[in-house]
Amino acid sequence: MKNVEKGWEPRILAFLCNWCSYAGADLTGISRIQYPPNVRIVRVPCSGRVNPYYIIKALQCGWDGVLVSGCHPGDCHYISGNLVARRRFAVLKDLLEYVGIEPARVNFSWVSAAEGGKFASVVTEVVNEVKALGPAKRLVKVRIEWKNLKNR
Amino acid sequence: MEKLEKSLREIAEKLLSEKKVDLIIGYERGTRPLRTTPCFVNKTEDVQKLIWDSSCDNNLAKYVVDRKEKVGVVAKGCDARLIAVCIAENQVPKENVIIIGVPCLGVVDRKKVESKLEEKEILEATIEGEKIKVKGEEFELLLAKNDFLCDSCLTCKHRNPPIQDVLVGEEVPELTEVNEFTEVENLEAMAAEERWNHFNGELSKCIRCYACRSVCPLCYCKTCFVDQSIPTWFGKTNDLSDTMIYHIVRALHVAGRCVDCGACSRVCPVNINLRELMKKIEKIVKERYNFKAGLSLEEAPPLGDFKSEDPQEFIK
Amino acid sequence: MKWKVIEKSKLPNLIGELAREYEIFAPVDRKSIGSFERLASGSEVSLDSRNTKKPPKDVFIPQTETLFTYKTGKQEVELAAPQVVIGQRVVLAVRPCDAKSFVLLDKFLSSGEYKDAYYKEKRKNTTIVGLACNHPLSTCFCTSLGGSPHGKEGLDVLLQDINDKYLIEPITERGEKLIEKFPWLKEAERADIDKAKKLSDDAEAAVKSKVSIDGVDNKLDGMFDDPIWEQICQKCLNCGICTFFCPTCCCFDVLDEDGKRIRIWDSCQFSCFTLHGSGHNPRPSGKERMRQRIMHKFNYFVKTHGESFCVGCGRCIQECPVNLDIREVVGAISALPTDKRSDND
Amino acid sequence: MANIRDQCSWVHMHEHEAATEKAKDLVRMAVAKARVIEPLKRVSLGVTSRGLVIGGGLAGITAALALAKQGFEVDLVEKNNELGGFLRKIHYTLENDDTEEYLKTMIDNVYSNELIKVFLNAKVEHVSGYVGNFKTTVSINSGSDVRRELEHGIIIVATGGEEYQPTEYLYGKDSRVLTHPELENRIMMGPTPKFGNVVMIQCVGSRNNEHPYCSRMCCGEAVKNSLKIKEKDPMANVYVLYRDMRTYGLMEEHYRRAREAGVIFIRYEEESKPKVAQTKSKGKNGLQVSVFEPTIQEDIIIDADLVVLSAAIVPSQENEKLAKMLKVPLNEDGFFLEAHAKLRPVDFATEGIFVCGMAHSPKPIRESISQAKAAVSRACTLLTKDTIEAEGIIATVNPGRCTACELCMLVCAYNAIEIEETKRGKTAKVNSALCKGCGACAATCRCSAIDVKGFTDDQINSIIVALR
Amino acid sequence: MTNPYIPNLTVIRKITTENEAKDIKTFELTFKDSEAMKNFKYRCGQFAEISVFGAGECPIGIASSPMDKDAIQFTVKRVGVVTTALHNSEEGTVMGVRGPYGNGFPMERLEGRNVVIVGGGFAFTTLRSLANFILHKANREKFKDLTVIYGARNPGELIYKYDLEAWKKRDDINLNVTIDSAVPGWKGLVGFVPAVLKDVAPSSDNAIAVVCGPPIMYKFTMPVISELGFSPENVLLSFEMRMKCGIGKCGRCNIGEKFVCKDGPVFTYKEFQRMPKEY
C-alpha cells in the first residue's frame, strides 16, 4: 500500500458527516477549490456515528492519518450527535497520544455545509502534518509478505 | 482488625437472620499465605467463616452483576463505588444489594512481598496490625505493612465507602493532599517515542488470558468486542498490534466508570501494570469533565452526556 | 550409559557448544516471569529453584501458529504449508512434572486416526533435558499424580543440581546421543550419585501437599448434575489464566487472518468456546465451564487415555485470582461418599 | 455512491495521475460497502388524525380553532376553570383593538365548534406513544377526580407563561405600586380618574441573572398604557424609566407617538437601578422615585402618584413536569426549546410534538397568534396523511448482545429507545417511528448491540479494510 | 507426515437455492485434483470441514450420496461469517474441503433391516444422502422397506424438493412430508414430525430409526420412538456441536468424554442416554 522510495504520499481516511462536512466537501468541489488528493472520504450520517473502533481499525490497517469532521456545535442535524461525539473523541485522542501515537495522525474538525474553503484548508493542513510524520508504523498490523513464506 | 471482623460477622448474622438478604458475599481465609478468597454465606452459622484484614484484595462487585436474589456484599471503598456504578448502569437493581461498607486502610500487594523475598517461598504469613509476619523454610521476617500496599491504595481518596447501607466499625481518616496521578505524569513527561516503546514492552508480555476483563466488574458485555464476528474488529492473536488495541479499547470502555480499584493490575499473571492506562483515562475524564466515577447513583456517566462548554481545543 | 557430572561454571559453554548445532529453548527470567524462550546466548538461562511461571508447552504449541498460507486469485487459490521446524532443537531445564505433561500431550495430540502434524514433528526432533527439583513449592502435588521431583518420564536427559555440580543422567537413547557429543564431561563418582539420591529423597519428602485422586474418576461419573458444582464454581471468574498456565491444556481456535490460517490458544473457560451458530450454548454459565475443566482432567481423559490429564505442577493454584484451589476441589469430590452416586447404566 | 466528481475530479484538477488513483480507491471503497448492504424496509405507521392542544390561552385557542378549521378533531386541555389564560388580563392593544371582545368571540367559536372538545380544570398526567399514535391520560378534577384517556396524532404545547410577581420597588408594600395588567384594570374600570405623576419602570425581573432574557412585550405595554393615560388625562405626567426601549418592528411608530404626546423617557444603567421610597412630607406619605441619569450624570427625583412596574414573563411551574412527560427539552431559561431556531421553529426534536405561544418564549399577542397558526400548519403535514413512513435508515438492537445499560438512551436526542422486559431479561428497543438514524447510540454502545441500517459497523469496517 | 489441517482444493460447480427465504443453498463441489477425489471416500452421515479462504472453516454434513462419484454436495444455511461468505460466492470460486470426518451411519447395521428416516428442518442433509444411497439401484435390495418422515415449518422451507418429487414416483419408499401448520395450497400432511411419526407408526421389529434435527425436535420425538417399540440401540441420532478442527484435537465439541467430531456425530440413543445432558 505504501511505496516509501519515490516521494511517499500519505493516505488519509476522512469520516464526513452527511449534513455538514460532506456537503462542505461538495461545495469545495463546486467552487473548484483544490486540495491534495490524499484523502479518501467516507460518508457517515453524523459525526456521532463514528465509533472509536473505526479510527483504531483505520490506524491498524495502515492508514497514515484519520480525519473526522462534523457540524459545528449547535448546527447538528441530529441536535446533539456532534456534542456526544466530542467527548468520545477527546478521550480517544488523549489516550492515543498518551500511548505514543503521534497526535497529528488523528484529527477532528467542525466544517459546516457553507465552509467549502475551510474544508480545503483543513485537509491541506492534515495532509502536510501527516506527510511530515512519515508512513504510519505504530499500531499497524504487519501483513505477511507472500514471497518469503512460500518455500515448500 | 479483629474488632472489625467481629462487627462484620454480627452485621452479617443480623442481615441473614432478619431475611434482609439471602446471601452474604465476603472473604474467607485462602489456602495460600497472604491469600483470601471470596466466600458465599447463606446460613447464619457459616458467618464465622467471614474474615476481614488487609489481604482481602479481591473485588467482590464482580459477583453483584445480574444477581437475582437479595445480596449483602462486603465492600471496601473501591468495591462500593463499583457497585454504585453497576447499579447506575442497571446491571443490578438497588433493592437487591446491601452494601456492607468496610473502611479500608489499603490492601497488601502480594507481588510486592514476593519480589522482596526473591527466591524464598513464603509458607506462612499473618497480618497483625501494622506488621506482616512472613515465615518461610528457614527464614522469618517482620515487614511493615505500609511499604507493601497496592499502588492504588497509596493514593486512595475514598477509604470510607462513599455509598453504603451499613458501615462496619468507624470511619478512618481520608488521604486528602496526595497527587494520585504521579505515575501518569511521569509517563506524560516522556517523549512520545519513549512512551510508545514503554507500552510496547509492557503489553508485548500479554498472553490474552482476559483475566483483566474477567476480574473487572465493569466488563459485563455478553459478547466482548474481541469475540465479535460480524464484523471482526480486531484479531484475537497475541500479535502486538491486536494486543495493544485490546487494552486501549478496554481502557476507553471504562472511561468515566473506572474507580482505580487496581484489580486488573493485581490479577495480571505476567505483571503488566494496566493501571498506567486506566489511571490516565481517569485523569482525562477528571480534567476534561470534572467527573469522578461511582460517587452517586443518579449521575449520568460522562460519555453518555454532554455540555455545550465541553473543551474542544483539539478540534480544528 | 554412565552418568556424567558438570561444574555449574561450565554450563554456559556447554550451552554455547550445543547452540552451534541445536536451537535451544531454556527458562529465561523476563521481569520475574519465568518462561521458556529461544536462547540468544547461554548467559541468559536462569535455573533458579522454582519452576517457570509459564509452562514449556509453548515450545511445542506456540500461542499463535500459522497452519498454512493462501493466496486467492481470480478463480485460483495457492496454498503453502510453512516449514514447521528447521533442524534439531533442545529444551533445557524442563521439570519432571512438565516433562510428564509432554507424555500426556502426546497421548492426546499425536494419537488416534488423525495426528497433529505440527506438534508431532516438533516433538520428533526436540531433545528434552530435564532438571530435577530439589526444592518443591508448597503448591506442588506431583507425587499425588504419579510424578516425583526427580521423575524421568518424558525426559531424554535428567540433570540434578548437587550444590556445585550438576549430575547428568542420560535416560533415553536420544539422550545418550546428545551426551556423547561432549566427551570432555567427567564421569560421576559414587559420592555424587549418593548425594543426588539423598537430595531427591529429601525433595520427594518435601512435597507435603497431597491429594488422593484414586476413585475420583468413578465418583465424577454420576456427579454431572450434583449441586456441589454450584458451590465449587461460584467464585470462579472464568478468566483464561488456569488453562493458559496449565502445561497440559492444549485447546486451540482456528481462524483466518489476511492470507493465513492460524491457530491460537483457546480456553474452555471463555464464553464463546462452545457457542453454536444458532446462538445456543451448551455451556452458558461459568459453572458448566469450570465443571468441564475438572471433568476433562479427572474423568474424560481418564476414560479415554487411562490417566488424569493433570501433572500436579500447581501453577493454576499460584495464579488463580480468586485462589480456587484445584486440590480443594478434587479433595472435596473424593471425600464424597461413593454409594450416593447411582450410575445410571 | 463513489463521489468522483465533486470530491475528486473537480478538486484535483492538476494532479491527474493521483486523482485517477483516488477515483479507483473511492470505487473500491464503494464496492466494498455495496457487497454487504441489505435492502432497507420502510416501516409504515398509522396516524390518528386528531390533535391535542395543551393550554387554553390565546395560542391554545387559536391553534384549536385552526386545527378544527382544517377538519381535525381537537382536545383542548386547560388547567383553570375558564379559557383565555394571560389574555384575560389584557383589555386593549397598542393598535387599540378590543382584546376582550376578540377573546369572547374566540371562546364562543371554540364552544360552538363541535370538532373541539374542551376539558377545563384538566391536567395532563401521562403521555405515551409516538408521532401519529399518542395516548394521553388527563385528570379532570371538577369536584370528583375523573381520568380520561385521549388518543391523537399530534400534540401542541401552548401552556403560556406567567407574570413575574415583583418583590422590588416596594411592590406589594405600597398600594400605589402596580403592574401593567393592574394598571389596565384601573384604567378600564374607574371613571376618568386623575393620574398625576405616573412613573413606569422597565425590565423588572427581566435581563438580570435570574431571568437573563428580555420579555419582549413589556416595552410595548408601557408605551400602550402611557398613551392611554395621556389620552384619558392629558394633564398627567408620565415618566418611563428604561434601560433600552425595545419597541421593535411596527411598535416603533407608537413609541414616537408617545414621545410626541409628552411622555418623558429616562434611561438608567443596570448597575444604578431606580429606587422607590415612601416619604413623609406635607402631612401625607408620598412616593419618591430617584434615578441616576447617565448623560447628565445626576440623580433625578420624581414625586410619583403611581409607580407601574413592567414585570417580566416567567415560565410556568408545570413546564418542568410536562417537559419530562413529553420528553422534550427546556432551554436554560425554563421555556420549551424548539428543534431549530430558523429551520424548525415550532417543532420539537421529538417528532409529532409542537410548541407555540408564550410557552416557547415571552411574545406579544400578534406573534402568539401567528406562531399558533404556524404550529397548526406543521401539525397538519402529519395529520393529513393516514400513514407515515418511518425512515429506512434506523437503528436496530441485537437483543443477544444488549445488557440494558441505558447508555444509548442517554445519548439519543429523540428518546427513540426504551428498555423492554423480555423472557431473556431486559433489552433496549428502538422505536422506528422516532429514530432518525444518526447512529450516536451505535457508536456509544460498548457491546455493539445496536447498529444503524444503511451504515452498519460491518459496512463501514469493509470500507476501512478495502484498500489494505 | 500427512497434515490433517491442509484442505483439498475444490471448485463450486453448481449452486441451487433450496428455500424461499434463500438462506439455504446446496453447493456442488468438484475436486481440482482427481486423485484427491478418489481418496475422498465417505459414508452417509459423515461431514467435512469447508474452507472459505479469508473467512474460515465450518463443519457441514455431506448431502450427496456416496454413489455419485464425480462431485460432492453440501447444503449450507447462512448463519455466521463463513456461511455468509460461502453464500456470497458464485460458481467457479475455489473452496477448500477437509475430511470426511465423523463416524457416519453404521451402514452394515442397516443392511437387511427396515430403515425409518425421521428428519426435521434443514438438518435433512445427511438423511437425504442416506435415502439416496439406499434407493440407488446397486444397494436397494440390501435394505428392506424404507420409511421417510420429513417435516419443515412451511412449504417454502422444505429443501430438496426435486428429490422429494422423485421419491414420490417410486413405490419402494414410504415418503411422508409434513409442515408444521396448514398453509393454503398445501395438499400434503400437516403437523409436527413427532405427531406424523405416531400416525405413520412404522413397525419397529427388525427396523432401525435414524433421527436428525434440532435439539427441540429430539425432545419430542424420542418418546414417540420408544413408544413405537424401537429399542435404544436401534435408534441413531446425529448431533450438531461447535467444531473447529474436526479431528478431535481442538477440545470443544465434547459431550462427556466423547468428541462429537471424532466419536460422533452419530450416536445410538443408548449411548446418548449415558452421556451427560450438555449438548
Side-chain angles (χ1 to χ4, degrees), chain E residues 38-70:
Chain E
K38 274 205 254 1
N39 310 348
F40 195 86
K41 289 196 228 32
Y42 61 93
R43 294 192 332 181
C44 306
Q46 285 191 304
F47 69 95
E49 285 279 343
I50 297 185
S51 291
V52 181
F53 298 107
E57 266 187 333
C58 64
I60 306 286
I62 302 170
S64 54
S65 145
M67 301 315 286
D68 35 28
K69 292 287 180 254
D70 59 354

Side-chain angles (χ1 to χ4, degrees), chain C residues 318-338:
Chain C
Q318 283 162 12
E319 297 309 322
C320 176
V322 290
N323 189 206
L324 199 154
D325 195 323
I326 197 157
R327 296 171 299 186
E328 253 186 11
V329 174
V330 173
I333 291 167
S334 71
L336 287 175
T338 47

